[in-house]
Structures are given as C-alpha cells and as structure tokens.
Amino acid sequence: MLSSVRRDDPDAFHVGPTRALAWPAETVIEALEPLLTPERLARMDAVVRQRTRRFVPVLENLHDPHNASAVLRSADAFGIQDVAMVRSDGEFLAARRVAQGSHRWLDLHLFEGTAASIAWLKERKYRVLVARMDGSIGPSALADVPTAVIFGNEHAGVSAEAESLADGSYAIPMAGFVESLNVSVAAAVTLYAATAGRTGDLHAEEQRTLKARFLLASVRDAERVVEERVRAR
C-alpha cells in the first residue's frame, strides 16, 4: 500500500496548469533538437507518437499528494496526455519522490470547481463518468468514445455535484472480498484499460507542439537557448 504524504511534507510541491509555448514549435525544435543525442530524440519521438487525448482522468479534491503523483505517473506511463485537476482551494499538490518529474510531460488543467471541469470536458465532446463502486460502465467500454472519469476524494469519494452533472458511472469489477481500491490504484487500472491495444491519436501539429514542450523540459537552460536563437535571426 502507498504510504501517505502530508500536504505540509517537504516532499510535496505545487503543480500548476501547463503553460502554452512562448515560441512557435518549429523555433523550439530547431534550437534544441541538436542538443540531444539521437537515442534520446528517437525515444522522444516514440513517446509523442503514442500519446492520446481520447481519455482524461479527473482528480477531484484529492488530499494526499502521494496519490495525486501516482496518478500523474501512471498517465505518463500509459500515454495519456491530459489530466484535469479540481481543487476548491486552487492548491494541487504532488510528491516529488513519487511523481519523478512526470508532470513535465503532461498537459495539466487546473480547475477550482467541479462544474467548470465538467463544462470544459463536455465542450470537447467527452463522455463524463464518475468512479463509483456500483458504477454501470466497466473498463471494457472506456475506449468506445472519448471519455473522462472523475476520481473523487480518498475519504468522501466523488462529490454530489459531479454525480449530478456526469453522463454515467464507472466501476472496476471486483472478484475478492475488498469493495474498493486505493484511488491511485483504481486510476492506474483504468488508464491501462482505456489505452490497451490503442495507438496514439495526436495530429501532426499537436505532435510537433508536444515535441517542442518535451525538448524544453529536457535541455538545461532551454529558454535561454531558444531566446538566443530567436535574437540571432
């Protein structure tokens, strides 16, 4: 079982929404690509090709930074690009030792209210489900249409507001005596089920933008290097 991390633990750190690129993707790629090894670039291109936006985990008021970090790490591992985070206090915390920098590779979207996050998802044509022990939709149906699953607070579960605004409910079938899983474990199982056997679905422009962001996260003093490249033109 994952040990908990208090929100005032020194290992906890604030995770904010992902910023848009400050330069055109091509400018960033031209400046930074020569600074990485061919092996690293090949790995980066392979990761970009496998990224998907067809599934979005929504973390609603998770309290333990350890759990939040584990979900971010699983999202990266299974090729999920977008993670929505709801915190009524605006302070989404992760744990460094668990996240291991995985937040750098994701598009993180921070909302101060559940309704705003669901409205954002529905504008983008996602089916929105809430995770419940008695949910009617199982893992095998996650890939049918673009879907978001809301995972609730470790103690209270998903909010009544989330349930009232969602399109349905989701559950992982259980065969043992336990009735629920730790939220980070449930998310990992769900992310695997949503992506198993699928390839990436980002179009070419999205892939170039994502590669530029990955380069910025991989090169020391990357912003300075890009600025110097821009000034030299």
Side-chain angles (χ1 to χ4, degrees):
M1 177 180 292
L2 293 173
S3 60
S4 63
V5 174
R6 290 174 44 177
R7 294 181 66 80
D8 59 354
D9 190 290
D11 191 51
F13 69 103
H14 178 262
V15 177
T18 301
R19 296 182 300 168
L21 281 177
W23 309 272
E26 289 299 332
T27 299
V28 175
I29 293 170
E30 290 173 6
L32 301 181
E33 196 173 47
L35 303 179
L36 295 186
T37 66
E39 294 77 14
R40 180 61 175 174
L41 288 172
R43 174 61 177 161
M44 188 175 291
D45 287 337
V47 169
V48 168
R49 287 194 299 271
Q50 288 297 314
R51 284 307 212 226
T52 181
R53 296 191 190 276
R54 284 185 58 86
F55 183 84
V56 178
V58 182
L59 310 182
E60 186 190 38
N61 289 313
L62 293 196
H63 179 76
D64 187 347
H66 202 155
N67 284 328
S69 299
V71 177
L72 299 183
R73 191 168 167 179
S74 294
D76 174 52
F78 296 124
I80 300 293
Q81 188 55 39
D82 294 292
V83 178
M85 309 174 298
V86 178
R87 280 291 305 185
S88 57
D89 58 8
E91 291 287 326
F92 189 90
L93 298 182
R96 290 184 179 85
R97 284 173 291 181
V98 180
Q100 294 192 357
S102 55
H103 59 288
R104 297 179 299 161
W105 316 118
L106 305 170
D107 284 346
L108 305 178
H109 310 275
L110 182 60
F111 302 91
E112 292 189 8
T114 298
S117 69
I118 294 177
W120 179 82
L121 289 162
K122 291 192 174 183
E123 285 174 6
R124 288 156 179 76
K125 310 302 181 184
Y126 285 95
R127 172 183 60 176
V128 180
L129 307 176
V130 292
R132 293 174 48 94
M133 290 187 295
D134 58 352
S136 58
I137 295 173
S140 62
L142 290 178
D144 292 349
V145 297
T147 299
V149 172
I150 301 176
F151 297 94
N153 177 270
E154 294 92 337
H155 306 292
V158 294
S159 66
E161 182 179 32
E163 294 199 37
S164 68
L165 295 174
D167 300 309
S169 57
Y170 161 79
I172 300 171
M174 304 272 181
F177 291 107
V178 298
E179 295 182 345
S180 65
L181 296 171
N182 172 280
V183 63
S184 63
V185 175
V189 171
T190 302
L191 299 183
Y192 174 77
T195 57
R198 299 187 63 85
T199 57
D201 52 38
L202 303 189
H203 56 67
E205 183 178 348
E206 285 182 298
Q207 290 188 25
R208 297 294 282 177
T209 299
L210 194 56
K211 181 174 181 177
R213 280 195 30 224
F214 286 0
L215 286 166
L216 284 167
S218 301
V219 174
R220 185 186 299 273
D221 295 328
E223 294 187 3
R224 178 186 57 79
V225 173
V226 176
E227 286 287 2
E228 290 178 352
R229 176 62 175 260
V230 171
R231 288 196 297 268
R233 287 184 169 179

